[in-house]
Amino acid sequence: MVWKEWFGRTEQQTDKPYDDLDPARVPRHVAIIMDGNGRWAQKRGLPRTFGHRAGAEALRAIVRTTAELGIAVLTTYAFSTENWKRPAEEVDLLMNLFSDYLDTEIEELNANGIRVRFCGQTDALAPGLQEKIVHAEKVTAANTGLVLNIAVNYGARAELTRAVRLIAADVQAGSVAPDDIDEEAISRRLFTAGLPDPDLIIRPAGDLRISNFLLWQAAYAEFWFTDTNWPDFRPEHLIAAVADFQKRDRRFGGLNK
Ligand code: IPE
Ligand code: IPE
Ligand code: MG
């Protein structure tokens, strides 16, 4: 199986079976705020950049497990609109890392039927990186497996502001009447258009906040937090999060069945 060859390169096999999980009730969409790379490195006396590299490595096994569990969409928050505030060297390293990730992973992601999508203002990224993003989306566009939705230069407020602007332009052009603006009209103009809302949002590294992630889409998401930093996040953590998710009583404002 191709998965085995892919992940054989790293030793990140899970020995924990998925037996505890109900395959009929896995979340359709899991979103992860991949946080704690810097702290992971600092704890080891290493530069923060090492944490980012280790974080990219950790993603590999999580993508595989997500696909194996039959989850339809995995959104990963890789770089926020606010992360530009960091020192230029760190930003550059991260951009190079995204570029390297696309160079080294696309073939294998494609071989495993994964559809890669990006979420965020990718048109503000360096032209070389933009080309790789377009290429990755194009070569994997016909795949029918897991959708890997990578949030880069993503900020929910910027996303909502953009949607408002698009609607305003349509109203001005006369193609949309103000009374026709409904929730669907907004959802359709977000970067996540066409994807289901996240059912489960996972944040490693111990901070209990959303950091401008999927504010609209998270309306009824379940949250799962762990103190483990992202580079140490393993399939076992994902499985624990999904097991917890399956115990939650999602009422969506209604009453228990
Ligand atoms: C997440 O790790 C990666 C990005 C935000 C790009 P951090 O770099 O935020 O790590 P901490 O939170 O400083 O530990
Ligand atoms: C959220 O982490 C963004 C990503 C993981 C890409 P941050 O590290 O940027 O969030 P804050 O600054 O702790 O809220
Ligand atoms: Mg952080």
Side-chain angles (χ1 to χ4, degrees), residues 26 30 47 85 104 126 133 136 164 169 187 190-191 196-197 212-215 223 234 236 243 249 253 255:
V26 293
V30 174
K85 293 176 192 165
T104 59
I133 287 174
V164 171
S187 293
L190 301 178
F191 293 121
D197 284 340
N212 203 14
F213 190 44
L214 304 177
L215 295 180
F223 286 84
R234 293 290 175 270
E236 287 81 343
D249 180 17
L255 301 176

Side-chain angles (χ1 to χ4, degrees), residues 34-39 48 83 86 203 205 207 209:
M34 302 189 290
D35 195 24
N37 295 349
R39 279 164 279 178
R48 292 175 59 82
N83 288 148
R86 297 188 180 197
R203 182 167 189 151
D207 286 315
R209 58 176 172 259

Side-chain angles (χ1 to χ4, degrees), residues 138-160:
K138 204 163 113 192
V139 295
T140 64
N143 290 341
T144 55
L146 173 74
V147 174
L148 174 60
N149 184 38
I150 307 173
V152 176
N153 196 19
Y154 176 84
R157 287 187 165 191
E159 177 186 45
L160 284 162

Side-chain angles (χ1 to χ4, degrees), residues 25 38 49 83 123 139 159 168 201 214 235 240 252:
R25 288 193 305 117
T49 52
N83 288 148
D123 53 2
V139 295
E159 177 186 45
I201 296 182
L214 304 177
F252 299 96

Side-chain angles (χ1 to χ4, degrees), residues 60-171:
R60 186 189 288 276
I62 298 308
V63 171
R64 178 190 64 165
T65 306
T66 307
E68 284 180 353
L69 289 175
I71 292 163
V73 184
L74 174 67
T75 296
T76 56
Y77 201 6
F79 191 88
S80 78
T81 48
E82 288 70 35
N83 288 148
W84 296 106
K85 293 176 192 165
R86 297 188 180 197
E89 312 85 74
E90 180 165 345
V91 171
D92 287 349
L93 180 282
L94 285 164
M95 295 299 154
N96 287 333
L97 210 53
F98 302 146
S99 196
D100 290 350
Y101 181 84
L102 292 175
D103 286 342
T104 59
E105 304 298 318
I106 282 307
E107 207 178 305
E108 317 254 19
L109 290 167
N110 196 25
N112 287 287
I114 293 173
R115 184 147 68 93
V116 179
R117 240 178 99 143
F118 280 78
C119 176
Q121 290 164 297
T122 52
D123 53 2
L125 301 172
L129 180 54
Q130 283 190 52
E131 272 167 37
K132 288 180 188 183
I133 287 174
V134 170
H135 174 74
E137 289 185 332
K138 204 163 113 192
V139 295
T140 64
N143 290 341
T144 55
L146 173 74
V147 174
L148 174 60
N149 184 38
I150 307 173
V152 176
N153 196 19
Y154 176 84
R157 287 187 165 191
E159 177 186 45
L160 284 162
T161 306
R162 175 179 169 274
V164 171
R165 231 183 265 134
L166 292 171
I167 291 172
D170 286 344
V171 169

